[in-house]
């Protein structure tokens, strides 16, 4: 009799604890769904999904001068070098429309993001790099620019580059924990997207999912250096996971004239089977 | 004059320390690319529950969790580095409290599921709390907390079930007994 009472008590405790766990999980899922809907409605501190500004000038470059870009350890900006401390780059970020996906076609449409660019009066060199967030944790990915699988896109301008005083710029804080704001929202009072680029998974991690390529069939990409002031490239994704919040980083290695313009347009392009 | 008996005997401390070290080894050595938060709970919950089931004293889980946390903190294998000692210790405290609540009946798979799932979830909560203290935007944490809670519950629970089956086998084989055995010190 007593053991039956003990067993009944134990069963009751099991039921209560399972209920508590269930309630916790339901509340957590509800919190996530609420946060997702708020994120899409208000833009919040993370920003809306699509950029509404596509033409940028020198004033849109908010960071620099610096010789590195965010990652676990500081990464060189000009692909192909191991980082020249004397290099001074000025950096801006913009969101891109869509996210690439290279995983299971049964889960999502496979494709890349095509980015078209037009430079006017680019002085010096411009380097493109990409950042995107992992879907299930606050960590970021970026493209590899050194070693096996390196890729990137660099444009050399027609104007000679020159240095000017840039008192109102400051380097990005970081390198592995960097708050950045994008330059792609226009209008008085609009809040630009704020992102917290975090890289905590160790050196080498997060470099092989995103790639720059001129041919979307070559998903692993390549390093492209060109003098073409107008052109396009693709940002591809490999691996099983998804990515979100695709950010394009544009860095120029000199101050730009007032006539400088960069026009970007981006769209998702589905893979041809 | 009778000598005051220590709370944990020497062989219990040795066993709990080994279990704590095994948690750390399993976290470091077994890297499975599930890309799901909390998936490692299916492994490290096993030595935690075995340590608690063998010793059957309040504080055993805390000790096991603390040892694994110290190892994780000093080797810096995880995101929070030194602060990982807190989430591992919290999971050990949770295993202690829940096991005590179920009278250490850890050979029951359902109870094993509950203990494992609760320990894994508490570890997740403490981890996120420390990240918030470090300044991570709450938005980023909230945007993933639903999925993370489900996966932590599932994998922690599965680890608890596996541990319960092992503990049951060890008990039937006589490896784990209810009496204290010969004094070791």
């Amino acid at each position: 009799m007593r053991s039956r009472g003990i067993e009944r008590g134990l069963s009751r405790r099991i039921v209560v604890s399972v209920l508590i766990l269930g309630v916790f999980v339901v509340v957590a899922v509800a919190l996530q769904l609420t946060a997702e809907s708020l994120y899409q409605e208000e833009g919040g501190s993370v920003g809306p999904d699509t950029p509404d500004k596509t033409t940028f000038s020198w004033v849109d470059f908010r960071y620099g001068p610096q010789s590195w870009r965010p990652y676990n350890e500081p990464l060189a900006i000009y692909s192909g070098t191991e980082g020249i401390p004397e290099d001074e780059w000025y950096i801006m970020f913009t969101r891109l429309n869509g996210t690439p996906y290279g995983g299971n076609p049964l889960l999502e449409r496979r494709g890349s993001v095509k980015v078209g660019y037009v430079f006017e009066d680019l002085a010096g060199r411009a380097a493109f790099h990409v950042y995107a967030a992992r879907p299930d944790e606050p960590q970021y990915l970026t493209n590899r620019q050194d070693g096996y699988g390196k890729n990137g896109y660099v444009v050399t301008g027609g104007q000679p580059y020159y240095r000017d005083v840039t008192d109102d710029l400051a380097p990005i804080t970081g390198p592995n924990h960097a708050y950045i704001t994008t330059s792609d929202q226009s209008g008085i009072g609009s809040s630009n997207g704020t992102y917290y680029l975090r890289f905590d998974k160790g050196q080498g991690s997060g470099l092989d999912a995103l790639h720059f390529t001129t041919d979307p069939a070559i998903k692993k990409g390549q390093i492209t250096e060109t003098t073409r002031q107008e052109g396009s490239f693709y940002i591809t994704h490999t691996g099983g996971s998804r990515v979100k919040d695709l950010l394009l980083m544009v860095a120029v290695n000199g101050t730009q004239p007032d006539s400088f313009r960069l026009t970007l347009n981006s769209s998702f392009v589905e893979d041809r089977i | 004059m009778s000598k005051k008996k220590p709370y944990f005997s020497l062989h219990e401390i040795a066993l709990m320390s080994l279990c704590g070290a095994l948690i750390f080894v399993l976290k470091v050595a077994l890297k499975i690319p599930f890309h799901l938060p909390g998936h490692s709970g299916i492994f490290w919950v096993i030595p935690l529950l075995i340590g608690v089931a063998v010793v059957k004293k309040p504080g055993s889980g805390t000790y096991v969790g603390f040892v694994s946390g110290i190892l994780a903190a000093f080797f810096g294998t995880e995101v929070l580095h030194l602060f990982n000692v807190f989430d591992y210790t919290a999971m050990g405290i949770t295993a202690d409290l829940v096991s005590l609540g179920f009278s250490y009946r850890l050979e029951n798979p359902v109870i094993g599921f509950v203990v494992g799932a609760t320990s894994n979830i508490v570890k997740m909560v403490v981890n996120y709390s420390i990240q918030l203290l470090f300044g991570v935007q709450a938005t980023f944490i909230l945007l993933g907390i639903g999925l993370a809670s489900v996966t932590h519950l599932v994998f922690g629970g599965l680890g608890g079930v596996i541990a319960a089956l092992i503990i049951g086998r060890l008990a039937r084989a006589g490896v784990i007994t209810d009496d204290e055995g010969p004094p070791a010190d």
Side-chain angles (χ1 to χ4, degrees), chain A residues 94-96 98-100 113 130-132 210 235 244-248:
Chain A
T94 178
R95 279 160 293 198
L96 295 176
T99 49
V113 172
V130 65
Y131 289 85
L210 297 169
I235 294 172
K244 62 181 183 182
D245 299 338
L246 196 67
L247 300 173
L248 185 71

Side-chain angles (χ1 to χ4, degrees), chain A residues 26 29 67-68:
Chain A
V26 165
V29 170
S67 61
W68 54 269

Side-chain angles (χ1 to χ4, degrees), chain A residues 58 65 88 90 161-167 254-258:
Chain A
W58 170 237
E88 289 184 342
Y90 302 88
Y161 83 92
Y162 63 102
R163 294 268 181 260
D164 200 353
V165 177
T166 51
D167 287 337
T255 52
Q256 300 297 309
D258 291 339

